[in-house]
């Protein structure tokens, strides 16, 4: 029997920032961690801990996230598990906890899974990386929500200490 716990960290990401957060989490956790995209449909039954992270784009999580969770709900529920959401709304102090973040609440209301631990991290806006339509749609959303609108810049809102604390508490 292994003494070290093996964890799997599964992400659903559009631009890669959620994967980056997963890599940081893995670096702070005790034991081995494997990181997979939800698109890989990874086998999860041989892991002691299952962490799932997902980002928001235009107010929605990807359908594949829900499909993966629903098709693996029994295995996920019987293991130690956690969920985290990555969204730019969490940059605001009044929306940066699982109880106050509308997207975390939306997620929890859209799935039968009840995670053992839930967290939310502010994401990043990487205007130079976005295609034309995304760039201006996101700029418009930022204009409405009083966020940054200079499309020549990147804005990272992630609190890396919060990520570290989450990893250490899993």
């Amino acid at each position: 029997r292994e003494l070290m716990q093996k964890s799997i960290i599964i992400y659903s990401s559009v631009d890669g920032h959620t994967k980056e957060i997963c890599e940081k989490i893995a670096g702070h956790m005790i034991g081995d961690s494997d990181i997979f995209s939800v698109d890989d449909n990874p086998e999860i039954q041989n892991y002691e801990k299952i962490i799932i992270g997902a980002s928001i784009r235009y107010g929605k999580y990807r359908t594949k996230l829900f499909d993966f969770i629903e098709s693996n709900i029994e295995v996920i529920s019987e293991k130690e598990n956690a969920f985290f959401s990555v969204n730019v709304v969490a940059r605001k102090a009044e929306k940066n906890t699982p109880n106050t973040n509308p997207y975390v609440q939306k997620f929890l209301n859209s799935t039968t899974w009840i995670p053992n631990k839930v967290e939310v991290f502010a994401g990043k806006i990487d205007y130079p990386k976005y295609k034309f339509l995304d760039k201006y749609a996101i700029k418009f959303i930022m204009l409405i929500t009083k966020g940054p609108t200079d499309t020549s810049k990147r804005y990272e809102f992630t609190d890396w200490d919060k990520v570290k604390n989450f990893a250490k508490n899993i």
Side-chain angles (χ1 to χ4, degrees):
R1 183 163 155 74
E2 286 182 304
L3 291 173
M4 286 298 223
Q5 285 210 325
K6 195 150 173 73
S7 303
I8 185 167
I9 306 171
I10 302 159
Y11 64 90
S12 170
S13 188
V14 179
D15 296 307
H17 191 62
T18 303
K19 181 183 181 188
E20 191 181 332
I21 291 172
C22 290
E23 289 163 354
K24 293 278 193 224
I25 289 170
H28 293 299
M29 287 180 68
I30 295 166
D32 291 334
S33 298
D34 294 330
I35 301 170
F36 289 96
S37 167
V38 72
D39 298 329
D40 300 331
N41 200 20
E43 291 291 320
I44 61 173
Q45 58 272 17
N46 296 327
Y47 294 90
E48 282 81 25
K49 294 181 182 181
I50 300 168
I51 298 106
I52 300 176
S55 64
I56 285 291
R57 177 57 62 89
Y58 303 131
K60 290 185 168 60
Y61 293 101
R62 293 171 59 225
T63 308
K64 227 170 196 164
L65 170 72
F66 293 105
D67 294 346
F68 178 81
I69 291 168
E70 292 309 318
S71 61
N72 291 283
I73 191 73
E74 289 83 14
V75 179
I76 295 169
S77 297
E78 69 190 23
K79 310 273 185 172
E80 206 175 320
N81 65 67
F83 170 76
F84 67 91
S85 176
V86 179
N87 58 74
V88 176
V89 169
R91 76 189 187 281
K92 297 181 174 188
E94 71 277 10
K95 292 186 180 171
N96 73 358
T97 70
N99 292 334
T100 61
N101 187 275
Y103 296 115
V104 170
Q105 291 306 306
K106 188 176 186 178
F107 172 80
L108 294 172
N109 292 327
S110 305
T111 179
T112 56
W113 178 35
I114 302 165
N116 301 146
K117 185 176 274 312
V118 180
E119 191 52 271
V120 60
F121 304 119
K124 105 175 168 187
I125 295 172
D126 192 349
Y127 285 118
K129 189 177 180 179
Y130 301 146
K131 293 185 182 105
F132 183 86
L133 282 174
D134 284 333
K135 183 179 295 190
Y136 289 96
I138 292 167
K139 178 180 179 170
F140 180 69
I141 293 164
M142 287 298 104
L143 192 65
I144 293 168
T145 62
K146 298 176 176 51
T149 56
D150 182 341
T151 58
S152 69
K153 294 188 173 144
R154 293 178 175 86
Y155 302 90
E156 190 175 302
F157 303 104
T158 310
D159 178 343
W160 294 106
D161 285 335
K162 190 176 180 183
V163 172
K164 183 179 178 179
N165 291 334
F166 174 74
K168 291 186 182 256
N169 288 317
I170 295 176

